[in-house]
Amino acid sequence: IDLTARELALGGSRAVLVEFTRGGLPRGATAELRRLSRSGLTPVLAHPERYFGCTLDAVREWRKIGVVIQTDASMLMGRGAPSELAREMLAAGVIDVLASDNHGDARSLASAREWLEAHGADEQVALLTHTNAECVLHDEDPIPVPPLRAGLLDRLKRFFRR
């Protein structure tokens, strides 16, 4: 699909939102993301933690080819395999942007943001919720988000297993 039309870009930038079906990663997903990146676009992959078959290694590979990783903040607060992957991605520092995935409902970044700030992840929160989104919309590379400090991921997991 030709995604080069300016009206398809995010905020007039070179960034385009890419979303796969929940059924799983399509065959050739990495090749297509690479094609988009090589064409001068910045693929912003929406909530990879939801895609059946997605792994931390795949996310790392996509980031190397210029894909911006956008994770649904509510997944950090949830249960199940997608939420576990989202937390692993956060701990590993491979998420570039947090989103609310709000479709006119009450979902927001507030709970995830407040929890992370309360546990000393202020630098990560600023990058994930503001700075990197701004970078993407200005056609700049997102700033790498430092991995969570030791122990914070364990506290996050315990908190959401209650």
Side-chain angles (χ1 to χ4, degrees):
I1 298 173
D2 180 12
L3 297 176
T4 58
R6 279 307 252 188
E7 59 270 13
L8 296 177
L10 298 173
S13 69
R14 291 188 320 255
V16 293
L17 189 64
V18 176
E19 185 167 1
F20 300 126
T21 66
R22 288 184 187 229
L25 292 173
R27 188 182 336 229
T30 299
E32 185 60 16
L33 291 168
R34 183 177 288 111
R35 184 191 69 80
L36 289 171
S37 186
R38 285 183 178 164
S39 74
L41 297 172
T42 301
V44 177
L45 185 58
H47 42 69
E49 68 278 359
R50 292 185 187 173
Y51 307 135
F52 182 77
C54 182
T55 65
L56 191 54
D57 287 338
V59 173
R60 285 184 173 120
E61 181 180 353
W62 295 331
R63 289 183 80 242
K64 286 179 186 175
I65 60 174
V67 177
V68 172
I69 303 299
Q70 177 182 295
T71 296
D72 180 355
S74 67
M75 292 307 238
L76 296 175
M77 316 298 279
R79 296 176 187 212
S83 290
E84 287 292 324
L85 179 57
R87 289 189 287 269
E88 286 178 29
M89 291 169 27
L90 179 65
V94 297
I95 298 173
D96 297 301
V97 178
L98 279 181
S100 68
D101 203 34
N102 183 307
H103 293 269
D105 54 36
R107 288 178 279 186
S108 79
L109 300 174
S111 295
R113 178 185 193 117
E114 290 166 6
W115 194 92
L116 289 165
E117 287 174 339
H119 289 85
D122 296 331
E123 180 183 8
Q124 288 89 345
V125 169
L127 290 168
L128 291 166
T129 62
H130 178 75
T131 306
N132 280 345
E134 193 171 88
C135 286
V136 171
L137 293 176
H138 288 104
D139 294 327
E140 299 167 1
D141 291 334
I143 298 167
V145 177
L148 294 180
R149 70 186 197 301
L152 184 55
L153 180 62
D154 291 332
R155 278 188 276 174
L156 185 64
K157 286 179 179 179
R158 280 194 306 273
F159 181 79
F160 294 109
R161 286 187 182 140
R162 290 187 206 168

